[in-house]
Amino acid sequence: MIDSVLTWALQRRLTAINHFRNHPHEVQRKLLQELLHTARATEWGQRYGFADAFDGRELAQRVPVSSYEDLYPAIERVLRGEPDVLWPGRVTWFAKSSGTTNARSKYIPVTRESLDAGHYRAGRDMVALATTLYPAEKILGGKTLSLGGTHGPNPFRPDDSDSRVGDVSAVIMQNLPRWAEFLRTPPLELALLDEWEEKIERIARHVQHVDVTTLAGVPTWMMLLLRRVTALAGADNITEVWPNLRLFLHGAVAFGPYRALFKELIPSERMRYLEIYNASEGYIAVQDEPNSEDLLLLLNHGIYYEFIPADQFEAENPRTLQLEEVELGHSYALVISTNAGLWRYKIGDTVRFTSLAPYRIRITGRTKHFLNAFGEEVVIENADAAIAAACRATNTTVRDYTAAPIYFDASATSRGGHQWLIEFTNLPPSPDQFVAVLDQTLRQLNSDYDAKRHRDMALAPPQLTVAPAGTFERWLGSKGKLGGQHKVPRLSNSRELLDEIMRVL
């Protein structure tokens, strides 16, 4: 019965995908009208006149582009239980993530509409596409092993047991329809454990006896789980434990640095990999072609899109483009209006269009420097604050610095990490103390970094490389960038920059 219902549902999704592929502008215009109509009686709807039928251009004239910090006063009221502020009704679930400049975490409202018409609809689309791309692999013949985070009480509503905050993956799993639980593993009581060492161990013991055909999650944690399952089973590799494993749906971090490692962990020619772009704010894009890293932009999933051109990234009131105005090859910052009440919200990601028919993108980075090779989401504000704290603690000053990932290798004990190349004005008396304070401050400021650093499971302690005096100046000189406004990028999500600077040491 479930199989026949699934087949019917997935076929419907393929029809819907083809519709927004072929009619993208019509679909987006209709979606915007639905969002405005639904929210017309909210505080924001009344403030900006949502009841008046208007298009994307007038939306851009009436409603300001907002960062999380701009929107936070309204979001805090929603967090405290006030109804009808940004979206109709009282919101009870919130996705918690890092990356804000004014707090350790940011809280993104998750409405029933954003779950049903966003995350769950896109999840069905991903399954529909995967089964179409790989019909011989019987992806639905076994269980999907999904790894997520955890959720807990809403700290703004301690007396409201129904209101919860947590990783978006945990919010999605906790609210899945009951029938969906038949398709996934492990059970929720294991999947949502908050202690990662216990979680990995208990999940590994449970799933080694399950017929897993699909993996879904962040590569960082999935790699740790696969290693543990293989070790518990006394196997040479995971295909001996799960011979029918065929697909990994991965997201949250760039997969390129992990690709070779997963081929060693899963040495099967039949193993397939598809990327998803699912953020706390919504499900944005999916990989719909097997041999391309381009992602199909999801146009009928509760998100209306606008795009800020690169020359407007730092503008106080940036000019935005509608979907039909974007061009190939240019970098744009995403602005979204959603069925969770995020109106003209700068998500912080930048994308480049690789196709306009249909609309496909690649994620090119963030509007700010960042480190997110392992899901840690360290932004420049975190790094600057941690460097300052370490300098105070060791009575030193830093002339310049940059940081980049240290990627996993194939060894069973390998962990990711960050390498910090720092040029001091005077070497700290205790470099170890400097690193310890840097690490501890990052953990205090950034909950995602803290989770990855817990018991050194996913991230090793920071690695300090002391740069001789003049290193960064020589590098800037070699690039013809001495003087003026030129400066060294503080954080990079690849090793290209740091390795280049290291060559001038």
Side-chain angles (χ1 to χ4, degrees):
M1 176 63 178
I2 290 180
D3 287 346
S4 60
V5 172
L6 272 176
T7 301
W8 172 80
L10 296 181
Q11 186 58 51
R12 287 191 64 192
R13 292 315 310 156
L14 289 173
T15 301
I17 291 168
N18 287 331
H19 179 69
F20 73 71
R21 276 175 171 155
N22 296 326
H23 307 281
H25 309 140
E26 173 191 330
V27 167
Q28 277 278 280
R29 284 194 291 269
K30 182 179 178 182
L31 173 64
L32 176 60
Q33 293 296 312
E34 291 172 352
L35 293 174
L36 296 172
H37 179 77
T38 303
R40 67 192 185 281
T42 64
E43 181 181 306
W44 272 55
Q46 295 181 60
R47 180 188 303 174
Y48 295 110
F50 286 2
D52 302 335
F54 56 85
D55 60 15
R57 295 188 188 281
E58 192 165 353
L59 174 74
Q61 294 172 356
R62 293 191 184 195
V63 183
V65 171
S66 295
S67 66
Y68 180 80
E69 289 77 17
D70 296 330
L71 207 56
Y72 181 73
I75 290 177
E76 183 178 4
R77 291 166 57 196
V78 178
L79 275 163
R80 296 188 182 281
E82 192 170 337
D84 306 322
V85 179
L86 296 165
W87 193 253
R90 181 177 282 103
V91 181
T92 57
W93 283 90
F94 299 85
K96 178 181 175 183
S97 65
S98 298
T100 176
T101 60
N102 67 349
R104 187 171 186 258
S105 300
K106 60 182 180 181
Y107 299 88
I108 303 299
V110 181
T111 62
R112 174 46 61 182
E113 291 88 344
S114 68
L115 283 173
D116 290 343
H119 295 287
Y120 297 152
R121 178 180 291 175
R124 292 194 297 273
D125 288 352
M126 189 73 259
V127 175
L129 288 167
T131 54
T132 302
L133 292 172
Y134 311 118
E137 303 302 352
K138 298 182 179 178
I139 291 166
L140 295 176
K143 297 282 190 178
T144 295
L145 192 162
S146 50
L147 273 183
T150 188
H151 61 77
N154 179 351
F156 295 84
R157 277 187 253 172
D159 297 328
D160 185 354
S161 60
D162 291 331
S163 185
R164 310 284 288 178
V165 303
D167 297 330
V168 68
S169 56
V171 176
I172 291 169
M173 273 194 251
Q174 184 66 66
N175 290 279
L176 277 171
R178 185 166 297 179
W179 61 264
E181 281 299 299
F182 290 103
L183 305 177
R184 58 165 304 279
T185 191
L188 281 181
E189 61 266 23
L190 298 183
L192 301 181
L193 286 172
D194 59 358
E195 168 53 60
W196 271 98
E197 189 170 40
E198 178 189 2
K199 175 184 285 195
I200 293 292
E201 183 66 23
R202 291 182 62 182
I203 289 177
R205 292 185 180 278
H206 177 85
V207 299
Q208 66 176 314
H209 305 298
V210 176
D211 180 21
V212 174
T213 55
T214 302
L215 307 174
V218 180
T220 317
W221 295 115
M222 193 62 70
M223 181 208 63
L224 294 175
L225 179 65
L226 295 186
R227 285 175 172 170
R228 186 57 185 147
V229 172
T230 302
L232 284 173
D236 290 331
N237 60 70
I238 199 66
T239 63
E240 296 178 10
V241 185
W242 299 326
N244 298 316
L245 182 61
R246 295 290 182 266
L247 177 66
F248 182 19
L249 302 174
H250 58 84
V253 299
F255 191 63
Y258 294 91
R259 195 173 299 278
L261 178 60
F262 271 87
K263 284 187 176 180
E264 292 191 28
L265 291 169
I266 315 171
S268 169
E269 293 299 320
R270 297 183 67 177
M271 188 65 188
R272 315 297 183 185
Y273 299 86
L274 292 174
E275 184 173 358
I276 60 177
Y277 180 8
N278 188 15
S280 298
E281 293 84 356
Y283 212 128
I284 293 170
V286 298
Q287 183 181 344
D288 67 327
E289 296 181 310
N291 299 314
S292 171
E293 295 181 1
D294 300 344
L295 304 178
L296 179 70
L297 191 64
L298 298 176
L299 302 178
N300 192 25
H301 296 70
I303 302 175
Y304 176 77
Y305 297 97
E306 297 173 76
F307 306 90
I308 302 177
D311 63 357
Q312 295 284 304
F313 283 179
E314 302 301 325
E316 184 175 350
N317 297 299
R319 173 176 58 89
T320 60
L321 303 179
Q322 296 181 67
L323 187 64
E324 55 264 38
E325 298 175 298
V326 300
E327 299 177 352
L328 293 176
H330 294 268
S331 185
Y332 299 103
L334 276 176
V335 173
I336 59 175
S337 296
T338 79
N339 54 5
L342 300 176
W343 298 104
R344 306 200 74 218
Y345 174 80
K346 290 189 294 186
I347 194 172
D349 291 340
T350 59
V351 301
R352 172 173 54 86
F353 281 89
T354 58
S355 168
L356 302 182
Y359 285 99
R360 292 194 179 99
I361 61 172
R362 290 197 183 187
I363 304 166
T364 55
R366 300 280 290 176
T367 53
K368 301 177 181 179
H369 295 308
F370 73 111
L371 264 174
N372 191 37
F374 312 101
E376 66 274 41
E377 297 192 45
V378 175
V379 295
I380 188 66
E381 291 84 0
N382 300 156
D384 283 345
I387 288 284
C391 285
R392 288 193 299 270
T394 57
N395 195 29
T396 190
T397 55
V398 166
R399 180 176 286 121
D400 227 329
Y401 78 90
T402 192
I406 302 170
Y407 286 109
F408 296 97
D409 59 37
S411 66
T413 59
S414 172
R415 292 168 295 167
H418 297 156
Q419 181 179 4
W420 294 76
L421 180 64
I422 299 178
E423 183 179 327
F424 294 95
T425 54
N426 55 289
L427 193 66
S430 172
D432 289 344
Q433 183 189 7
F434 184 94
V435 170
V437 175
L438 173 73
D439 183 42
Q440 186 59 38
T441 305
L442 286 173
R443 296 186 70 166
Q444 292 170 353
L445 293 173
N446 185 310
S447 57
D448 287 318
Y449 178 85
D450 185 45
K452 304 300 182 296
R453 282 284 297 117
H454 181 66
R455 297 193 179 182
D456 296 352
M457 286 186 64
L459 278 182
Q463 180 184 110
L464 171 64
T465 300
V466 177
T471 294
F472 290 95
E473 185 175 331
R474 287 194 297 276
W475 177 78
L476 285 169
S478 73
K479 307 297 286 186
K481 293 183 177 180
L482 278 177
Q485 296 298 311
H486 298 301
K487 55 187 178 182
V488 177
R490 296 302 196 198
L491 305 176
S492 178
N493 214 34
S494 75
R495 290 195 57 83
E496 183 178 352
L497 172 66
L498 189 144
D499 288 343
E500 184 178 295
I501 297 174
M502 293 279 284
R503 286 195 286 270
V504 307
L505 292 181

